[in-house]
Structures are given as C-alpha cells and as structure tokens.
Amino acid sequence: MSANLPILPNAISIPARNGTSENLFAAVDIGTNSFKLLVVRADPSTGRFLTFDRFKERVLLGLDTNTTTASATISNASLLRAITALRKFQTLLQSHRVPSSHSRLVATSAVREASNRSQFLQTIDETLGLKVDVLSGLEEARLIYKGILQFHPVHDRTVLTIDIGGGSTEFVIGKEGKILFSISLALGHVTLTQKFPEVTEMREHIKVIIRASGLNEKVKHYNIDKVIGSSGTIRNIEKAIFRGYASNMEGNVGISEESRRDWSFTTDELKGLVERLSEEERRVGGKVQTQGFFKKRSEFIVAGAVLLEEIFEELKIEEMEVSGYALGEGVIAEKLGEVFDNYDPRANARWRSVTRLATRFNNKQQMKSAALCFSVAKEMFDGLRKGYESGNGSDGFFVSLEDKDLEYLEAACLLQKIGLYAGKKGYHKQSYHIIAKGDHLHGYNAEEVKLIALLVRHHRKKLPACDHVVPEELTEEVLEAGNLPFPGYVLPSVKDFETEHVKELELFRMVFQERLSIAVTSS
C-alpha cells in the first residue's frame, strides 16, 4: 500500500443559511470501522441534550479493499472513502447551521496508529478545511466514560466501562467523574476479523493480550459496583439477547417481560449468543441470517462477541449493563461544559431515565420523529403560555402552564411510540403500560409517572373520558394550582378562541397541512 496520500481538489464551499442554530452541537467520531456524526439540540438553561440527528458512514480506515489484511497504513482507497464521508457530514452541518465552535471532530485508533497519520490529517485539512483531533487511548477512554455518565446515573459509583471499537478496546474505571484507571488494548472487532479467520486462534490471541496488559490485577484493586459496556458492537449484542436471538426465540419473548427488562445481559446469555453465532457460521447459508439481524456489522459481530466473552472470562464479569451513549455523547458533554457555565453532568436524573426508556424501544428514525414532535409541541405550548400570561385570564379562560408541564409534555413526546415494538395496532396502549408498569422513570413520583403515561395513552384516536384525563391523585392539587378552569368561569366562544390563537392555528396548518377546527361544548 502506498503511504503517499493524494492531495484532492478543494471541496466546493457550501454557504450556510442566514445565521446559526445556537442550541445545536455536533460531534464527529472518525473510527476504525465507521465515521459517525451526532447532532444534538441542547437546552441552554440546563445543558441537557436530545439527539437531533445522527448519521453513519462505513469507511473501514486502514483496510485496503484489494486485499483481506488490515494495515497500519491508511490506503488511498480508505482516504477517498474518508473524504467522501466527511464531505457529507460537512454538508449536513452547514445545512443544520451548527456553529463551528459547537462542533468537534475526533479520530481514534485507526488514525492514532497509522504510519501516515500526519499526511492523512493534512489532506483532510487541505481538502475540506476540517481540523481533526487525534485522541490518545487515555483521552478516548475519558470521553467514553463522560458519555456514559450522561446515560446512567452512576456518578457516585465505582464503574468499570468497556468500549469495543474496530481497532481497539478501551477500559476505564471511574468514580465521581474522575478516571481512577484506564487502558487501551489493541483488540478490535475489525482487526481481529481480518487477522484471525479461525476463532480458536483469535481466542488465544485475545487471552495473551489481556494477560500481558496486567488488566486483571489492576481491576482487582478496585471495588467495582457496576460494569457498563458501550459502542455499537456491545449494543448489538445486547439487542440480540433482548430480542431472543441468542435463545432461538426471536419474536417470542413475552411482551410483559420484555417491557420490564433494562439494558443489561449476563455471562450465560452472552455465551448463548456466541454459540448461536458459531452455529450460524457453520450452517450452509447461515451468513444470510446473521447479516439480516446485525446488518452491516454482521461480518465483524462474531469477533466482537468472542472478544467480549473472553473479557468476561478473564475479568470474572457476571453481568454487564449497556449504555446507549459513548464517545460522541462524551464529546458533546465536554463541549456543553465549555459553552454553558452552569452545566452540571450530574443533573437531570429524570431526563436521563426518559431518554434511556425512549432509546430502549425507539429506533433511530422514531427518535428523530419524537424530537421533531416535541419541537412542534413546544412551539404551541410556548405560544399558549404567552397568550394566557398576557391575557391574565380576562376572557374567563385561565390555565396556568408551568415548566414542569412542559417537562411532562416533552417526556410524552419522546415516549409516545415505544409501544410500536409490539406491533402497530393499539401501540399507544402498549406505550402506556410500559411507562406505568415498567418502573423505568426515575426521579418522578407515582402521580407524575401516571400523568406522563396518560398523555401517551391519549395522544391519538378518540378523546379520553373526563375522569381519565388527570390521575385521581392529582385532581385536588391541580384544581388548587389553577391548572383547570375555576368554578363559574365563562367559556369563550369559538370566534374568540380563534382570534386569540391565530398564530398557533396557522402553525398547525403549516405543519400538518390541515386546518384545525375548534368545537366548544357546554358539557
């Protein structure tokens, strides 16, 4: 392979729209297997964030497509794929109007270990005008840990985090946001797949690397409370176990049991998955089934699962929790800390539990749709609140809308479609049961959980009965707070309502391409 990377023609400059979106932040993860772009919308008052959009491009850095070997040199073919992917990301960032100060591009092991790393970075800079930060193994591990803290409320606990990448695996022991120990081992699902066609040889190599690192002895020095895994490989493993793939029970897992299960799996469940994957590989045509389940990661999933099984064995791990967040979210969290003075990564335990549950059952497209849903709902909410506050209830129609009401609405928007995993028919009812019965939302009291569940339950189809709108336990409190029309109020006419809310009705028409008709009854 040539170490001389070509200088490509400069990219055409794409002008951004007028202004920037000050609440949008982005992270680009230049990994061994794929490049990932994460765009989030942040709340400037709290620093909490919600995924706005995410993209992934399969690049396979350091892999010459003309051979079947991995290399420490980034080939010309790999460079061209990298340029194409980053140009797409650049266009998307400009389209979303993300401020340049709100984004960061980071590269991990493939670039870190490349013999022609400097040439690669120079070509990216000269071609696209993009600056890439190459993370050391320690820095990568620290940011992964920071990302996990945004997903799991484990700030005060001693946690071992494991992140399997394409070219390396990061191990971190952290507590209270500080790194107690970290190490990066040259064990990745892409490089293992390329170097070891035979699983037996792969296992022996993994054992040698782990034992030579002294990792086991280091871990024994700490009283580990939890083991948490991140990265796409570990999330795919957990998803396979969650959906019954490991036990040949796809689609047959009980809905009640499935809706209560959190992000975790045991060593026995992992062993079952590895056995199933090995069986699929031996079976004629089995690769098709494996590829169908794990999609583009299928050719590396065996190596990833075997690697994790050996890690479990060497470190005597019995159970692993899984994080939906990793390096990208860690980069975002650090950037938020730079921009928002009052950003506290330990805050918003309630918010973390909502996003965990939403991510548990929603796919990426549903999460994107949920974020858009809340964006529209918030515009309506803010307009109504402004109207009520300026009118002071002089028209006889008074509703007090508070920040906590917006929080409930946001949670309901994110969770409205989680019941779709069980099928489209009656999914709103299934969503209700997951929220109300699953014990997933932490930091909310029982009445608040029920209220969020009811908002989800009644977001579609027929209107709810009056006694089903508000939890019985909240009725007295809500009446006292003035959140329902007071006794003796005069109901406004349809004309008065439409006149007062012209902007909101026009926004509804623009978004849904339908006119909203108002009907007011006396009963």
Side-chain angles (χ1 to χ4, degrees):
M1 299 180 186
S2 173
N4 298 316
L5 299 177
I7 301 297
L8 301 178
N10 291 333
I12 298 174
S13 176
I14 301 174
R17 302 172 188 172
N18 293 332
T20 56
S21 300
E22 294 299 326
N23 292 344
L24 293 185
F25 290 76
V28 175
D29 173 7
I30 298 175
T32 301
N33 184 37
S34 58
F35 288 12
K36 305 181 188 72
L37 168 62
L38 171 66
V39 182
V40 308
R41 186 186 299 280
D43 181 345
S45 63
T46 63
R48 73 181 189 180
F49 59 85
L50 176 66
T51 299
F52 178 76
D53 227 337
R54 65 169 72 237
F55 303 90
K56 182 167 73 173
E57 291 289 327
R58 194 165 182 261
V59 177
L60 292 175
L61 273 187
L63 180 66
D64 188 338
T65 53
N66 295 321
T67 71
T68 58
T69 62
S71 171
T73 300
I74 298 175
S75 68
N76 292 342
S78 294
L79 172 70
L80 291 172
R81 293 195 299 272
I83 291 289
T84 300
L86 291 176
R87 183 176 280 126
K88 287 182 181 179
F89 289 174
Q90 187 178 48
T91 302
L92 290 165
L93 289 172
Q94 292 172 333
S95 175
H96 286 319
R97 297 179 293 168
V98 179
S100 58
S101 61
H102 287 193
S103 61
R104 185 184 182 192
L105 288 79
V106 298
T108 55
S109 62
V111 178
R112 184 167 64 231
E113 305 299 332
S115 59
N116 56 344
R117 157 181 160 176
S118 297
Q119 292 172 286
F120 175 81
L121 297 175
Q122 181 182 354
T123 303
I124 296 296
D125 186 8
E126 294 180 355
T127 305
L128 301 175
L130 297 175
K131 304 293 184 182
V132 178
D133 296 329
V134 181
L135 302 177
S136 66
L138 176 62
E139 182 71 358
E140 182 181 355
R142 184 185 67 81
L143 289 171
I144 290 169
Y145 173 55
K146 195 160 193 172
I148 286 172
L149 289 180
Q150 310 307 304
F151 196 79
H152 287 277
V154 292
H155 185 270
D156 299 325
R157 311 191 73 175
T158 303
V159 178
L160 168 62
T161 67
I162 301 171
D163 185 283
I164 296 177
S168 66
T169 296
E170 273 58 52
F171 299 83
V172 183
I173 298 176
K175 184 177 183 180
E176 296 179 347
K178 298 178 181 178
I179 304 297
L180 304 179
F181 166 78
S182 73
I183 190 171
S184 177
L185 300 184
L187 294 169
H189 56 77
V190 173
T191 52
L192 286 173
T193 299
Q194 298 302 319
K195 291 180 179 179
F196 302 99
E198 294 295 327
V199 171
T200 302
E201 294 180 10
M202 183 189 299
R203 286 186 184 277
E204 288 304 314
H205 175 74
I206 295 169
K207 291 180 191 293
V208 168
I209 296 296
I210 294 177
R211 292 172 183 176
S213 71
L215 178 62
N216 198 2
E217 290 71 22
K218 292 288 186 180
V219 171
K220 288 179 180 178
H221 287 310
Y222 300 93
N223 184 19
I224 305 298
D225 296 315
K226 283 183 180 293
V227 178
I228 298 179
S230 60
S231 78
T233 295
I234 293 180
R235 287 196 297 273
N236 267 255
I237 288 171
E238 189 279 333
K239 179 182 178 182
I241 293 171
F242 175 68
R243 296 296 186 186
Y245 177 84
S247 55
N248 292 301
M249 294 288 289
E250 297 106 301
N252 294 322
V253 179
I255 290 177
S256 177
E257 175 187 349
E258 193 173 350
S259 65
R260 290 175 179 271
R261 177 173 178 145
D262 207 352
W263 296 67
S264 65
F265 57 87
T266 66
T267 182
D268 288 339
E269 289 173 324
L270 177 59
K271 288 181 182 296
L273 175 65
V274 174
E275 290 175 3
R276 172 76 188 272
L277 289 172
S278 299
E279 178 186 336
E280 290 288 353
E281 278 207 318
R282 288 192 297 267
R283 184 184 304 164
V284 177
K287 271 287 188 182
V288 175
Q289 289 187 342
T290 303
Q291 186 171 358
F293 191 90
F294 296 103
K295 299 181 180 178
K296 293 181 179 179
R297 198 177 295 270
S298 63
E299 64 184 288
F300 306 121
I301 196 64
V302 173
V306 169
L307 171 56
L308 189 59
E309 185 181 27
E310 289 299 324
I311 292 172
F312 268 50
E313 180 71 24
E314 292 296 317
L315 301 185
K316 304 296 187 292
I317 297 172
E318 294 296 327
E319 184 175 14
M320 170 177 277
E321 293 191 13
V322 180
S323 173
Y325 291 173
L327 178 61
E329 287 78 10
V331 172
I332 293 289
E334 185 151 273
K335 184 63 69 174
L336 291 175
E338 295 173 4
V339 176
F340 300 138
D341 293 335
N342 62 338
Y343 175 68
D344 182 0
R346 295 171 296 177
N348 301 310
R350 288 153 65 108
W351 173 249
R352 284 198 299 270
S353 69
V354 171
T355 54
R356 280 183 66 184
L357 179 55
T359 311
R360 163 85 284 179
F361 291 99
N362 285 334
N363 58 32
K364 292 178 183 178
Q365 185 58 42
Q366 288 166 344
M367 285 297 293
K368 184 176 178 179
S369 173
L372 178 61
C373 172
F374 174 68
S375 180
V376 174
K378 185 177 184 301
E379 290 287 336
M380 294 181 175
F381 181 95
D382 290 341
L384 289 170
R385 178 157 63 175
K386 184 177 180 181
Y388 293 138
E389 289 174 351
S390 62
N392 295 317
S394 58
D395 60 356
F397 189 72
F398 178 79
V399 176
S400 173
L401 296 176
E402 303 175 8
D403 289 342
K404 65 178 182 179
D405 299 314
L406 182 61
E407 181 185 357
Y408 303 147
L409 178 62
E410 184 171 20
C413 287
L414 293 184
L415 301 175
Q416 61 170 314
K417 293 184 178 180
I418 59 176
L420 279 172
Y421 86 95
K424 188 173 181 180
K425 184 177 180 180
Y427 74 83
H428 55 303
K429 297 178 183 178
Q430 185 60 38
S431 299
Y432 168 86
H433 287 296
I434 294 173
I435 298 167
K437 310 297 183 182
D439 191 29
H440 293 290
L441 301 187
H442 306 297
Y444 295 94
N445 60 39
E447 290 78 15
E448 290 175 317
V449 171
K450 189 172 183 181
L451 178 57
I452 293 170
L454 285 171
L455 284 171
V456 169
R457 166 68 176 81
H458 294 295
H459 83 276
R460 64 191 292 261
K461 294 200 172 181
K462 63 182 181 181
L463 295 173
C466 292
D467 61 352
H468 204 200
V469 175
V470 180
E472 198 174 304
E473 300 89 336
L474 283 182
T475 304
E476 185 176 346
E477 175 188 342
V478 170
L479 281 169
E480 290 176 355
N483 287 329
L484 291 178
F486 48 80
Y489 77 99
V490 179
L491 193 66
S493 67
V494 171
K495 184 177 180 181
D496 291 338
F497 189 91
E498 291 182 338
T499 299
E500 182 180 354
H501 300 290
V502 171
K503 291 183 178 180
E504 288 80 4
L505 293 171
E506 177 61 18
L507 177 60
F508 184 94
R509 186 193 64 77
M510 291 174 61
V511 172
F512 298 105
Q513 300 297 308
E514 294 284 350
R515 183 179 181 277
L516 178 65
S517 299
I518 307 298
V520 179
T521 63
S522 59
S523 58

